[in-house]
Amino acid sequence: MRMLKTVALAATVLATLVGGAVAQDITKVRIGTEGAYPPFNFQDANGELKGFDVDIAKALCAEMKVECEFVVQDWDGIIPALLAGKFDAIIASMSINEERKKSVAFTNKYYNTPPAVAVPKDSPVTGITAEDLKDLAVGAQSSTTHSTYAEQYLTQSDVKLYPTADEYKLDLENGRLDAVVDDVVVLSDWVESEAGACCKIVGTITPVQEIHGEGAGIALRKEDTALQEKFNAAIEAIRQNGTYETINKQYFDFDVYGG
């Protein structure tokens, strides 16, 4: 028994040393993203991943001089998939907040935009408060900061949760919802498109720190500290060398990095 314990301890130490060496010599990073959250991440008609998250990920990998491999993963299972080793990092507009920090580590933010409320164009709703949305059916994507906000703050509304943003958009368009809550950029991109011509944004919500956190960051396994440091350095580098600005201008007419 004593010998077995010694062997086990030696194996653990060796694995730690080897793991540390590998962590310092990262050559490929597998990135998990949803692929269903335009304009941040989505798949085009050919199934190719596009969007701000995707372009930022590619720029970060280039800065780190590593190969990028993308893995499409449903949002609800994206953190469990990271922890199970399906990929090495999540770059999918994931807000940094205390609840998620219990399971994963985060890099510094790479953008920060507020939540908003959208309604049908003929809706009498003109505000975004709990009183404005009282007794109304309000949709949000499940397992997001927006669904958490809706459930905690819109307690007099009939909150309905959806696996993807596309599904709540369809229900709002078809009259099965009175309003939806999501990121202002996501909703703006939609209502300005032909698909979202049915609807309008009535206002932005002041972020609640404990729910919405400090912006969107890259989620990693807690033990992957070397990768976290590399990503943080790369985020700072692309902000400084103009790469971030170039990507930003392809999608937005303002700096989504935020204050």
Side-chain angles (χ1 to χ4, degrees):
M1 178 66 72
R2 190 181 299 272
M3 183 178 293
L4 287 175
K5 286 183 178 179
T6 301
V7 171
L9 177 60
T12 300
V13 171
L14 178 61
T16 301
L17 292 173
V18 171
V22 171
Q24 298 301 322
D25 187 27
I26 301 165
T27 59
K28 181 177 180 179
V29 179
R30 297 166 301 161
I31 295 170
T33 196
E34 184 186 12
Y37 197 59
F40 291 107
N41 59 81
F42 59 94
Q43 292 177 287
D44 66 14
N46 298 318
E48 184 178 353
L49 280 169
K50 302 280 189 178
F52 180 77
D53 287 334
V54 176
D55 287 351
I56 288 292
K58 290 177 178 177
L60 294 175
C61 287
E63 183 66 33
M64 296 188 295
K65 296 180 172 56
V66 299
E67 180 187 349
C68 259
E69 178 184 310
F70 290 94
V71 179
V72 176
Q73 171 67 49
D74 288 346
W75 179 257
D76 282 349
I78 205 164
I79 287 180
L82 171 69
L83 299 179
K86 187 174 179 180
F87 35 79
D88 307 304
I90 298 171
I91 304 183
S93 294
M94 181 170 283
S95 298
I96 305 165
N97 63 23
E98 294 305 315
E99 184 61 31
R100 289 176 177 144
K101 284 180 181 178
K102 294 175 184 177
S103 304
V104 298
F106 281 99
T107 63
N108 299 330
K109 72 171 185 178
Y110 64 94
Y111 83 83
N112 189 14
T113 50
V117 174
V119 298
K121 281 187 174 176
D122 59 358
S123 172
V125 174
T126 58
I128 49 83
T129 68
E131 185 62 28
D132 291 323
L133 302 173
K134 181 180 178 181
D135 299 327
L136 301 181
V138 179
Q141 184 175 5
S142 61
S143 301
T144 64
T145 54
H146 309 295
S147 63
T148 301
Y149 175 85
E151 291 181 313
Q152 291 187 18
Y153 282 81
L154 306 181
T155 55
Q156 297 182 80
S157 301
D158 179 15
V159 175
K160 298 180 183 295
L161 304 184
Y162 296 79
T164 68
D166 285 343
E167 291 168 88
Y168 78 60
K169 291 172 184 175
L170 187 62
D171 271 8
L172 184 63
E173 180 182 357
N174 291 328
R176 291 188 286 269
L177 288 173
D178 301 302
V180 294
V181 180
D182 208 330
D183 185 278
V184 66
V185 173
V186 171
L187 292 176
S188 296
D189 182 73
W190 177 55
V191 300
E192 291 168 9
S193 70
E194 184 178 348
C198 60
C199 304
K200 63 183 179 181
I201 293 175
V202 290
T204 57
I205 297 167
T206 300
V208 178
Q209 181 65 29
E210 59 267 28
I211 295 176
H212 299 106
E214 57 211 69
I218 299 167
L220 307 155
R221 290 181 289 272
K222 289 186 176 183
E223 63 268 23
D224 290 340
T225 54
L227 185 56
Q228 182 184 37
E229 290 170 6
K230 283 179 176 290
F231 268 123
N232 278 334
I235 291 169
E236 179 65 20
I238 68 170
R239 284 287 296 170
Q240 294 297 324
N241 65 23
T243 302
Y244 187 99
E245 182 181 6
T246 298
I247 296 170
N248 190 106
K249 285 181 176 178
Q250 293 175 20
Y251 294 93
F252 316 114
D253 57 6
F254 66 100
D255 184 1
V256 293
Y257 189 77

